[in-house]
Every structure is written in C-alpha cells, then in structure tokens.
Amino acid sequence: MIETKKTSIILPVYNVKRYLNDCMNSILANDLRECEILLIDDGSTDGSGELCDIYASQYAFVSAYHLKNGGVSRARNYGISASKGRYICFIDPDDYVSKDYIITLVETIKKTQADIVFTGYKKIYNGRDEEVSENREDFLKLSVLERPQDLFLEKEGKKDKLMGVVWRTIVRKDILQQHNIRFDEDVNLSEDWLFLLEYLAYTQKVKVVDSFGYYYRVRENAATSMGYKRNLVRVRIKCLNKLKAILDQTEKYSKEEKDRILQVYRYIYAREILANEFGLNTWNTAREELKNHQFFELILTDDVLTLCKEEKRFKDYILLKLMKEKKYSLIKMIYIVKGKLE
C-alpha cells in the first residue's frame, strides 16, 4: 500500500489517441492510493486532448491540462510545476506498465530513501515484447556505483551505455526544486539524457529495481526514428554546452576525466552530423547546416581527429578531416561510391 504523500505520474500527451487507452488502463490497474495522474496535452489534433478530459472527469485523481504545442520537454516541465507529489514518475503515453509498476517504484524509493530509482524495461515491437535492450549486469551496477553518471557518459566513443531515459525512473521533487532542474526546452534530442545527468549530479543514493515492468513501444514514426534530423548541428552544440555546464558543476570527475568526456562527445556528435548531412541523401542541405561556425569551433575540433588516430579509427579520421577542411564535394563522392558498393 502507498501510504505517504502523493506520487505524481506525469504523461506528456501529443497525438497518441491510438495508444492512450492502453497506457491509462495499465496505470489504473496499479494501486494508486495517494497518487495523482497529470495528463499534459501538448496541443494534440487527433482527439487525444478530449480523451484526457474524459479520464479527468471519471477519476478525481486525474487532471488534464491543455497547452499549445511546444514539445515534450515543455509538457513535462509544466507537469513538474503543476504536480503536488513528493515523488515524480514519468510515463510516455504510447507505452504501458505492469500492474505493480507504480507501487514497486514508490515503495523502493521510500524504503531505501534513495534519490532516484531505475527499473528495467522491455521493448515492444508490433505488440510483442522483446529482450531488454541493454546489458542487465551493467544496469544492476547503478546501485553500487559511486558515480552513477558513469553508466550514461561515454568515455570511449562506443554505444553500449545505458539508455538515458526518464520514463523508467522515479525522482524526488524536492531535488528538482532545490536545484531548479528542468528539461531543456530548446533541445529536441537527448533531452532525457541531459536531465538525468544534471539530476544525478545532486544525488547521494541511487537504487535499481531488478524488475522489468515498463513496456517501451517502438513506433516506426517515432520522433527518434532514423531519418534526417533538421537543425542537428544547433541541437548538438546546445547539448555539448549543457554537458560542459553539468560537468563544471560536479566535483565527481577530475579535470582530465571531464576533458576526456567532452572529447568523446565531440567525436560522437561529429560522426552523427557527418552521417546526417552526407549519408542520407541530404547534400542540398549540408552546406547550409555546416555554415554554423560553432560546429568547427566547438564540435569538430583538433582533438576529435587526435582521438580518431589514437583509437585507430582511420575511416572516421579521413572523413572528419575532409569535413574540417570543408571538402564537401569529395565527401559526397565517397558516400555515393559507398552506396553503390553496398
């Protein structure tokens, strides 16, 4: 039984009428005593907003709010401000949860006096649940790490870290309020990751639940799906500046470690932008996107090329060096030949 102060469950809702009933029914199957559900309609046009109102009219602990479309970060921030709970739990409205998901999170954060609790999750493809998409042993290490950010920060330029997502966590509102932690509304990629990194900088105790009661639905047209990402250069510059600010605020890492982390993320972002601008038949937009001089000042710096050589990533070195020298026609030719050979 959930006995103490309210837990606020925040759902940012945008054009998910097809999935919202499944999500809400799964939440309502939980023990929700002393809980509130906040449905933040982000300017939906498919009837999702009206469905939110129906739930609010049927259940006293459900509230519906309607905003002009401003993105998931703005919707979540509105939910945080409107929430009355001691704890905050985020759920995406196209996903669903097990019937003991909420009580497991709440009882764990209460009994362990943790600052944040993580639970496992399963991916859902076409209605079928699949294997958990991350290393279970690494996931369970979160509770014993002195610096839990280590499992969300790349230091080698690989892609084997844990997913930095908020939808399988429960956090304390007082920490959010005390340190004014909110989602960055100017970033539409990696916003969860940035939020968690900042939050973890102020945590003393992290707890992991060896349970996989969150079901993450993979949608073909999801915002994170593959495809050309507009304004990626601007977004990654923003992410890099935010990461630097977060690292500057913490004493958990030495200067050398901070420099290495920033170097690795410059490399990761440079590769991502390279593929985005040249690898997706987007040549007509590439020149315009790369006119942003900060890309070369802040992301594609000399130490990125140094990392490529040190790690013997010669293919990346060649392409990124050509990019740094602005030899875009040659890069385009390489991608055309590569495409014909594949």
Side-chain angles (χ1 to χ4, degrees), residues 108-126:
T108 300
I109 200 169
K110 284 170 52 182
K111 290 179 179 179
T112 64
Q113 296 186 326
D115 298 318
I116 183 171
V117 175
F118 290 88
T119 184
Y121 71 99
K122 289 186 177 181
K123 282 188 175 182
I124 306 299
Y125 295 92
N126 299 320

Side-chain angles (χ1 to χ4, degrees), residues 91-119:
I91 296 176
D92 281 358
D94 50 352
D95 301 332
Y96 55 95
V97 299
S98 64
K99 64 182 180 180
D100 61 349
Y101 177 76
I102 302 298
I103 197 169
T104 297
L105 284 177
V106 175
E107 288 192 343
T108 300
I109 200 169
K110 284 170 52 182
K111 290 179 179 179
T112 64
Q113 296 186 326
D115 298 318
I116 183 171
V117 175
F118 290 88
T119 184

Side-chain angles (χ1 to χ4, degrees), residues 8-12 38 40 75-76 79-80 83 88-92:
S8 300
I9 304 167
I10 298 174
L11 282 72
L38 293 85
I40 316 298
R76 284 173 174 161
I80 292 171
S83 66
I88 292 179
C89 172
F90 299 100
I91 296 176
D92 281 358

Side-chain angles (χ1 to χ4, degrees), residues 11-17 20 39-53 64-76 78 93:
L11 282 72
V13 176
Y14 180 70
N15 287 353
V16 288
K17 184 178 180 180
L20 188 55
L39 300 173
I40 316 298
D41 170 35
D42 187 33
S44 297
T45 58
D46 70 339
S48 296
E50 290 81 355
L51 192 53
C52 291
D53 289 335
Y65 302 87
H66 301 279
L67 312 178
K68 291 183 179 180
N69 182 248
V72 63
S73 292
R74 181 168 175 263
R76 284 173 174 161
Y78 190 94

Side-chain angles (χ1 to χ4, degrees), residues 2-192:
I2 300 173
E3 299 174 342
T4 58
K5 298 179 181 178
K6 282 184 179 291
T7 296
S8 300
I9 304 167
I10 298 174
L11 282 72
V13 176
Y14 180 70
N15 287 353
V16 288
K17 184 178 180 180
R18 176 181 175 185
Y19 306 103
L20 188 55
N21 279 329
D22 286 346
C23 180
M24 284 297 295
N25 287 339
S26 74
I27 296 172
L28 293 170
N30 279 254
D31 182 347
L32 296 176
R33 281 171 283 183
E34 297 303 318
C35 289
E36 64 170 355
I37 300 174
L38 293 85
L39 300 173
I40 316 298
D41 170 35
D42 187 33
S44 297
T45 58
D46 70 339
S48 296
E50 290 81 355
L51 192 53
C52 291
D53 289 335
I54 291 174
Y55 278 109
S57 67
Q58 292 178 341
Y59 300 95
F61 54 87
V62 177
S63 300
Y65 302 87
H66 301 279
L67 312 178
K68 291 183 179 180
N69 182 248
V72 63
S73 292
R74 181 168 175 263
R76 284 173 174 161
N77 287 340
Y78 190 94
I80 292 171
S81 298
S83 66
K84 301 182 179 72
R86 179 179 180 183
Y87 308 115
I88 292 179
C89 172
F90 299 100
I91 296 176
D92 281 358
D94 50 352
D95 301 332
Y96 55 95
V97 299
S98 64
K99 64 182 180 180
D100 61 349
Y101 177 76
I102 302 298
I103 197 169
T104 297
L105 284 177
V106 175
E107 288 192 343
T108 300
I109 200 169
K110 284 170 52 182
K111 290 179 179 179
T112 64
Q113 296 186 326
D115 298 318
I116 183 171
V117 175
F118 290 88
T119 184
Y121 71 99
K122 289 186 177 181
K123 282 188 175 182
I124 306 299
Y125 295 92
N126 299 320
R128 296 174 299 172
D129 63 320
E130 300 287 345
E131 292 293 324
V132 177
S133 63
E134 59 194 4
N135 186 298
R136 183 172 178 273
E137 290 183 3
D138 281 349
F139 173 64
L140 296 177
K141 288 178 185 175
L142 272 169
S143 283
V144 297
L145 283 177
E146 185 176 333
R147 304 183 307 189
Q149 289 161 307
D150 283 349
L151 285 183
F152 295 98
L153 284 171
E154 302 284 357
K155 295 182 183 177
E156 299 177 4
K158 299 179 181 179
K159 292 187 177 180
D160 56 358
K161 293 295 182 179
L162 299 185
M163 282 182 65
V165 290
V166 299
W167 41 249
R168 42 93 170 266
T169 68
I170 188 169
V171 300
R172 286 173 41 192
K173 185 176 180 180
D174 62 331
I175 293 179
L176 298 180
Q177 299 295 80
Q178 183 179 351
H179 301 286
N180 194 30
I181 300 170
R182 293 294 187 272
F183 293 90
D184 192 323
E185 298 180 16
D186 293 328
V187 172
N188 59 4
L189 290 170
S190 306
E191 61 270 16
D192 288 25

